[in-house]
Amino acid sequence: MRPEDGHPDLVYKLLITERLMVFLTSDHPHASHDTIQPSDFVGETFIGLADQAPVVRTLIEHYFRRWGINLQPAHRAEYISMLMSLVASTGGLALAPVNTRNFLTRSVISRPLAEEAPSVDLVLGHQRVNTSPVLKLFLSRTDELVARVSKRLDAHPVD
Protein backbone atom coordinates (compact mmCIF):
# COMPACT_ATOMS: atom_id res chain seq x y z
CA MET A 1 0.00 0.00 0.00
CA ARG A 2 0.94 3.67 -0.13
CA PRO A 3 1.28 5.45 3.22
CA GLU A 4 -1.58 7.82 3.93
CA ASP A 5 -1.81 10.50 6.58
CA GLY A 6 -4.64 10.40 9.07
CA HIS A 7 -4.36 6.76 10.10
CA PRO A 8 -2.58 6.81 13.49
CA ASP A 9 -3.76 3.25 14.14
CA LEU A 10 -1.55 1.96 11.32
CA VAL A 11 2.16 1.22 11.37
CA TYR A 12 3.99 1.37 8.05
CA LYS A 13 7.13 -0.51 7.09
CA LEU A 14 8.91 0.83 4.00
CA LEU A 15 9.41 -1.80 1.32
CA ILE A 16 10.64 0.22 -1.67
CA THR A 17 10.55 3.72 -3.10
CA GLU A 18 9.43 3.92 -6.72
CA ARG A 19 9.78 6.77 -9.13
CA LEU A 20 7.01 7.68 -11.52
CA MET A 21 7.33 7.01 -15.24
CA VAL A 22 5.47 8.10 -18.35
CA PHE A 23 3.28 5.58 -20.17
CA LEU A 24 2.38 6.16 -23.82
CA THR A 25 1.69 4.24 -27.01
CA SER A 26 4.62 2.92 -28.99
CA ASP A 27 3.49 4.97 -32.02
CA HIS A 28 3.04 8.23 -30.08
CA PRO A 29 5.18 11.12 -31.41
CA HIS A 30 7.01 11.28 -28.04
CA ALA A 31 7.81 7.54 -28.13
CA SER A 32 11.05 8.28 -29.98
CA HIS A 33 12.26 10.48 -27.10
CA ASP A 34 14.63 8.99 -24.53
CA THR A 35 12.91 11.02 -21.82
CA ILE A 36 9.67 12.98 -21.54
CA GLN A 37 9.54 16.60 -20.40
CA PRO A 38 6.70 17.74 -18.12
CA SER A 39 5.77 20.25 -20.84
CA ASP A 40 5.26 17.34 -23.30
CA PHE A 41 1.98 16.64 -21.50
CA VAL A 42 0.52 20.02 -22.51
CA GLY A 43 -2.04 19.60 -25.29
CA GLU A 44 -2.04 15.81 -24.94
CA THR A 45 -4.79 13.55 -23.69
CA PHE A 46 -3.86 13.05 -20.05
CA ILE A 47 -4.87 9.85 -18.29
CA GLY A 48 -5.04 10.50 -14.56
CA LEU A 49 -5.59 8.23 -11.61
CA ALA A 50 -8.89 7.77 -9.82
CA ASP A 51 -9.65 8.11 -6.14
CA GLN A 52 -8.50 4.51 -5.53
CA ALA A 53 -4.91 5.80 -5.68
CA PRO A 54 -5.09 9.05 -3.67
CA VAL A 55 -1.41 9.18 -2.68
CA VAL A 56 -0.09 8.76 -6.23
CA ARG A 57 -2.84 10.95 -7.68
CA THR A 58 -1.92 13.81 -5.33
CA LEU A 59 1.79 13.34 -6.05
CA ILE A 60 1.14 13.64 -9.81
CA GLU A 61 -1.05 16.72 -9.38
CA HIS A 62 1.62 18.42 -7.23
CA TYR A 63 4.35 17.48 -9.72
CA PHE A 64 2.63 19.23 -12.60
CA ARG A 65 1.68 22.24 -10.47
CA ARG A 66 5.35 22.60 -9.52
CA TRP A 67 6.07 22.97 -13.25
CA GLY A 68 3.22 25.47 -13.69
CA ILE A 69 1.18 22.97 -15.69
CA ASN A 70 -2.54 22.64 -15.03
CA LEU A 71 -3.70 19.31 -16.45
CA GLN A 72 -7.25 18.08 -16.32
CA PRO A 73 -7.43 14.34 -16.94
CA ALA A 74 -9.55 13.31 -19.91
CA HIS A 75 -10.01 9.98 -18.10
CA ARG A 76 -9.19 8.57 -14.66
CA ALA A 77 -7.95 4.98 -14.35
CA GLU A 78 -9.11 2.97 -11.36
CA TYR A 79 -6.53 0.18 -11.73
CA ILE A 80 -3.42 -0.62 -13.78
CA SER A 81 -5.08 -2.66 -16.54
CA MET A 82 -7.56 0.18 -17.04
CA LEU A 83 -4.63 2.63 -17.27
CA MET A 84 -3.00 0.50 -19.97
CA SER A 85 -6.28 0.20 -21.86
CA LEU A 86 -6.93 3.95 -21.72
CA VAL A 87 -3.42 4.83 -22.86
CA ALA A 88 -3.69 2.34 -25.74
CA SER A 89 -7.19 3.35 -26.82
CA THR A 90 -6.83 7.13 -26.52
CA GLY A 91 -3.16 7.61 -27.41
CA GLY A 92 -2.86 9.61 -24.21
CA LEU A 93 -0.05 10.00 -21.70
CA ALA A 94 -0.08 8.79 -18.11
CA LEU A 95 2.22 8.93 -15.10
CA ALA A 96 2.38 5.94 -12.79
CA PRO A 97 4.86 4.15 -10.49
CA VAL A 98 7.61 2.17 -12.16
CA ASN A 99 6.04 -1.16 -11.13
CA THR A 100 3.31 -0.42 -13.69
CA ARG A 101 5.87 -1.52 -16.30
CA ASN A 102 5.06 -5.09 -15.27
CA PHE A 103 1.71 -4.66 -17.04
CA LEU A 104 2.87 -3.20 -20.35
CA THR A 105 1.02 -4.34 -23.45
CA ARG A 106 2.47 -4.56 -26.95
CA SER A 107 1.22 -1.10 -27.82
CA VAL A 108 2.16 0.71 -24.57
CA ILE A 109 5.71 1.64 -23.60
CA SER A 110 7.29 3.60 -20.77
CA ARG A 111 9.77 6.43 -20.68
CA PRO A 112 11.43 8.19 -17.74
CA LEU A 113 10.74 11.83 -17.03
CA ALA A 114 13.49 14.20 -18.20
CA GLU A 115 13.27 16.25 -15.03
CA GLU A 116 13.58 14.86 -11.53
CA ALA A 117 10.80 12.32 -11.26
CA PRO A 118 8.63 12.26 -8.19
CA SER A 119 8.79 9.08 -6.16
CA VAL A 120 6.37 7.28 -3.90
CA ASP A 121 6.86 4.76 -1.13
CA LEU A 122 5.40 1.29 -1.20
CA VAL A 123 4.83 0.13 2.36
CA LEU A 124 3.48 -2.73 4.34
CA GLY A 125 0.82 -1.48 6.72
CA HIS A 126 -0.71 -3.16 9.74
CA GLN A 127 -2.79 -2.25 12.74
CA ARG A 128 -0.64 -0.98 15.60
CA VAL A 129 -2.54 -3.16 18.10
CA ASN A 130 -2.10 -6.38 16.11
CA THR A 131 0.06 -8.74 18.20
CA SER A 132 -0.43 -11.80 16.01
CA PRO A 133 2.56 -14.18 16.00
CA VAL A 134 1.94 -14.75 12.28
CA LEU A 135 2.22 -11.00 11.61
CA LYS A 136 5.40 -10.84 13.71
CA LEU A 137 6.94 -13.69 11.69
CA PHE A 138 5.84 -12.13 8.40
CA LEU A 139 7.34 -8.76 9.33
CA SER A 140 10.60 -10.44 10.34
CA ARG A 141 10.90 -11.90 6.82
CA THR A 142 10.13 -8.76 4.84
CA ASP A 143 13.67 -7.40 5.02
CA GLU A 144 14.96 -10.53 3.28
CA LEU A 145 12.26 -10.25 0.62
CA VAL A 146 12.98 -6.56 0.04
CA ALA A 147 16.71 -7.31 -0.27
CA ARG A 148 16.04 -9.98 -2.91
CA VAL A 149 13.75 -7.71 -4.90
CA SER A 150 16.20 -4.80 -4.65
CA LYS A 151 19.01 -7.01 -5.88
CA ARG A 152 16.89 -8.02 -8.88
CA LEU A 153 15.99 -4.39 -9.60
CA ASP A 154 19.65 -3.39 -9.36
CA ALA A 155 20.48 -6.07 -11.94
CA HIS A 156 17.78 -4.67 -14.29
CA PRO A 157 17.68 -0.91 -13.70
CA VAL A 158 14.87 1.25 -15.00
CA ASP A 159 15.61 3.30 -18.12
Side-chain angles (χ1 to χ4, degrees):
M1 67 186 299
R2 307 295 177 186
E4 294 184 38
D5 293 332
H7 298 282
D9 54 326
L10 291 180
V11 175
Y12 297 116
K13 179 174 181 159
L14 178 66
L15 299 176
I16 60 171
T17 299
E18 300 179 285
R19 35 180 208 157
L20 300 188
M21 302 215 39
V22 180
F23 294 86
L24 66 164
T25 58
S26 57
D27 62 351
H28 191 282
H30 296 313
S32 62
H33 300 177
D34 291 334
T35 60
I36 306 296
Q37 296 286 339
S39 60
D40 290 339
F41 281 78
V42 176
E44 296 288 340
T45 300
F46 174 56
I47 312 300
L49 299 180
D51 292 336
Q52 289 83 344
V55 173
V56 179
R57 179 180 169 171
T58 301
L59 180 67
I60 291 169
E61 291 168 357
H62 288 167
Y63 173 75
F64 283 117
R65 267 193 234 121
R66 190 175 78 215
W67 288 99
I69 299 170
N70 182 21
L71 291 179
Q72 296 303 316
H75 308 278
R76 289 197 181 273
E78 295 179 13
Y79 39 88
I80 294 173
S81 59
M82 183 178 185
L83 180 81
M84 291 298 155
S85 178
L86 285 167
V87 169
S89 65
T90 68
L93 301 176
L95 271 183
V98 69
N99 75 41
T100 306
R101 290 175 57 165
N102 294 326
F103 300 89
L104 289 176
T105 64
R106 287 181 190 243
S107 62
V108 177
I109 62 171
S110 65
R111 293 288 182 266
L113 284 162
E115 303 301 331
E116 184 179 329
S119 60
V120 62
D121 292 337
L122 184 63
V123 298
L124 178 64
H126 63 88
Q127 293 286 330
R128 185 177 306 280
V129 297
N130 189 336
T131 58
S132 163
V134 174
L135 175 62
K136 187 176 180 179
L137 176 62
F138 179 71
L139 291 171
S140 73
R141 301 286 172 93
T142 58
D143 291 336
E144 178 186 334
L145 175 63
V146 169
R148 280 192 299 178
V149 170
S150 295
K151 185 176 178 181
R152 196 175 90 210
L153 290 176
D154 289 345
H156 304 287
V158 176
D159 300 313

